[in-house]
Amino acid sequence: PGTPPVRFGRLLGGAVEGRLSRPREDRFHATAYADLLNSGGFVEVPIASTGTSVSVAGRVSYSALLISLMANTLSQEGAGRVRAGFWDYQARVEQKVGRGRLRLFALGASDDVGLGAGENAGSVGGGVLSRFHRVDLRGTHPLAGGEAEVGFTLGTDALGLVGEETQPRPPSNVLESQRVGEYSLRQASVSARALWRRPLADAWELELGGDVEHRRSATVLTGNALPPGWRPGDSDADPFKKPSAVATFSGVYATATWRPSERWTLVPGVRLDVYHLVPGQTFTAVEPRLTVRHTLSDTLTLKGGAGLFHQPPTVLLHIPALDTAGLRYGLQSGAQLDVGAEWRAAEGLELSADVFYNPLRRAVEFDVLDVLEARRRGAPSTEEPSTRGYAYGLELMARHPLGGNWFGWVSYSFLQSKRRELINRIGDDNRVVERVLATVPFAFEQ
């Protein structure tokens, strides 16, 4: 909770940080599990002679299989068969190299939901397939009195609609379901990062870093598949019709941690990002940020943060290619202001509270359904899709840290988010009668 530090760039809202635990190197470890929803396993193998550790994990859910079996049992004979399933995996190899370490980490997941074509000739079906993979190579090593880290990541994302039809397959002409079309959005990314941190004195620590990411997005159209709402002869210029994009994001940052006394911690920082969309569109953003913590007593700590943030335009349903192609509409920008407190009320009981206010100077957020509906009505595209808005709220949490063989937490979150929007009033003839400027709740208000 609070204002994310400057190493997290190109985001307008909150940040979720995930860290890998260090591998256990004492002996072989293995875990397997199965329940009503999933089955999976985890294996960790240390190789002491080479300083290597190998970890592999995976999961397969058969809840979707049970749903499919039930739906297919209840369906009429000859109807299409429901299919649904997902899996994911992680794998890691970590190697000691002198005083440093190398880590190769891979993860991915797949979801497939659909309805197969029926048994009769000409029966149609289809489904939605979502899949991603990441491979990350990371190295750390002491450097110039501090520690340096270098990382390199490859990634692929895909989201697609597939069409199926029951057709005779030569030469026997046996009827079977065949894929007849596909509309999918695919994105490949290559990124690199580097950082160096070093304690400068008893009260100071410096961190410098930078990152660069290159994305290439494309649309795949085969057979008779068409994008939703897209008609032959439509212009390909709008990225929501046939999205494709090539973009490079790069940024550098510097931050310092200053502890002028045992009770105060100040973390000022600044970040510079450059967004480049081919062909020839470049946007630059400078983001100063500050986080402050003050320990009032052994049990009570006050905290606060403020900063500026930018992000490419948002599609309210994450779809590869659209978030990159939308950069043609410029950057979103806003601020984050946060204050809070942490209180160790008793042994085994920690309470925390955060209150935030985020004014949005420029927001560019596309709802896919609204875009398609506007096209069906023949409404003209908005020349300037940006708007203003704000968000405010609070979060309360009570937590029992790990101890006494158990842990747990309970939280309550409140969020109000508003936007200034031009609302279309629709007449009885299904045409736009007028447009009214109003403050309306945002999609993710809760």
Side-chain angles (χ1 to χ4, degrees):
T3 306
V6 290
R7 69 174 176 272
F8 297 104
R10 298 187 286 277
L11 53 85
L12 194 63
V16 178
E17 181 184 20
R19 298 182 182 180
L20 292 181
S21 60
R22 278 288 181 90
R24 293 172 291 182
E25 299 175 342
D26 54 341
R27 63 183 184 276
F28 172 84
H29 296 268
T31 302
Y33 65 90
D35 55 35
L36 293 177
L37 300 177
N38 307 281
S39 62
F42 172 73
V43 176
E44 199 168 42
V45 183
I47 305 173
S49 60
T50 60
T52 309
S53 178
V54 179
S55 308
V56 178
R59 175 180 61 158
V60 174
S61 171
Y62 37 80
S63 59
L65 175 61
L66 297 177
I67 294 172
S68 301
L69 292 175
M70 183 180 298
N72 293 329
T73 301
L74 298 177
S75 64
Q76 298 179 356
E77 184 177 355
R81 300 185 65 82
V82 174
R83 67 173 187 273
F86 72 84
W87 50 259
D88 56 56
Y89 70 91
Q90 305 87 40
R92 172 180 62 186
V93 179
E94 192 149 334
Q95 175 69 51
K96 295 180 180 178
V97 181
R99 295 187 297 160
R101 302 178 76 96
L102 281 176
R103 185 190 71 197
L104 182 64
F105 178 60
L107 76 161
S110 174
D111 292 89
D112 183 12
V113 180
L115 181 68
E119 298 176 359
N120 303 320
S123 298
V124 296
V128 180
L129 177 65
S130 175
R131 187 169 293 171
F132 82 89
H133 301 279
R134 294 290 187 274
V135 179
D136 180 77
L137 178 63
R138 169 182 180 263
T140 59
H141 198 276
L143 177 67
E147 184 180 57
E149 175 185 326
V150 177
F152 182 78
T153 307
L154 300 176
T156 62
D157 298 83
L159 177 66
L161 306 174
V162 296
E164 301 176 9
E165 184 176 349
T166 300
Q167 298 177 347
R169 180 178 291 275
S172 60
N173 288 331
V174 175
L175 293 176
E176 63 178 47
S177 178
Q178 302 179 33
R179 179 175 293 188
V180 294
E182 175 184 359
Y183 169 57
S184 62
L185 306 176
R186 300 180 184 179
Q187 181 169 277
S189 61
V190 180
S191 61
R193 65 190 185 279
L195 69 86
W196 174 74
R197 63 171 64 92
R198 176 187 175 180
L200 296 181
D202 293 340
W204 287 90
E205 181 177 293
L206 177 67
E207 180 176 321
L208 305 174
D211 56 76
V212 59
E213 179 182 8
H214 181 73
R215 298 181 188 175
R216 304 185 72 89
S217 307
T219 306
V220 177
L221 288 169
T222 62
N224 56 10
L226 293 175
W230 191 86
R231 298 183 297 270
D234 283 352
S235 170
D236 295 343
D238 193 323
F240 290 99
K241 298 173 183 176
K242 292 185 64 177
S244 60
V246 177
T248 301
F249 308 141
S250 56
V252 293
Y253 64 86
T255 184
T257 302
W258 180 35
R259 299 179 180 88
S261 68
E262 293 183 357
R263 294 185 177 274
W264 286 94
T265 301
L266 288 82
V267 186
V270 63
R271 181 180 179 94
L272 171 65
D273 279 291
V274 177
Y275 305 74
H276 179 71
L277 178 66
V278 177
Q281 287 184 290
T282 301
F283 307 93
T284 304
V286 179
E287 301 176 346
R289 303 180 197 175
L290 173 66
T291 300
V292 179
R293 292 177 65 88
H294 177 56
T295 303
L296 280 180
S297 67
D298 293 340
T299 60
L300 180 61
T301 300
L302 304 180
K303 58 185 179 180
L308 298 181
F309 296 82
H310 297 79
Q311 179 178 310
T314 307
V315 180
L316 301 186
L317 174 65
H318 176 65
I319 299 178
L322 289 188
D323 53 354
T324 302
L327 188 59
R328 58 182 283 196
Y329 296 106
L331 297 178
Q332 302 183 90
S333 62
Q336 292 191 28
L337 307 171
D338 178 278
V339 294
E342 299 172 356
W343 180 34
R344 291 195 297 274
E347 185 68 28
L349 177 60
E350 298 177 353
L351 304 178
S352 66
D354 280 87
V355 179
F356 65 88
Y357 174 68
N358 297 349
L360 300 176
R361 187 169 60 89
R362 189 176 193 268
V364 186
E365 298 149 329
F366 296 105
D367 187 320
V368 175
L369 296 180
D370 286 347
V371 172
L372 298 179
E373 184 65 20
R375 295 193 63 254
R376 294 189 186 102
R377 296 183 186 278
S381 61
T382 305
E383 293 295 332
E384 175 50 61
S386 67
T387 184
R388 291 174 176 266
Y390 59 89
Y392 65 91
L394 61 87
E395 180 179 82
L396 306 175
M397 177 180 287
R399 176 176 178 266
H400 175 78
L402 181 61
N405 295 322
W406 74 282
F407 74 95
W409 54 265
V410 59
S411 69
Y412 170 76
S413 297
F414 173 82
L415 168 66
Q416 293 285 290
S417 188
K418 307 292 184 181
R419 300 291 186 272
R420 292 287 288 172
E421 297 276 351
L422 278 172
I423 306 300
N424 291 332
R425 295 189 184 275
I426 310 300
D428 293 337
D429 58 354
N430 204 34
R431 294 182 177 274
V432 177
V433 177
E434 63 176 340
R435 308 191 75 190
V436 179
L437 185 63
T439 300
V440 298
F442 183 53
F444 297 142
E445 182 173 86
Q446 59 185 356

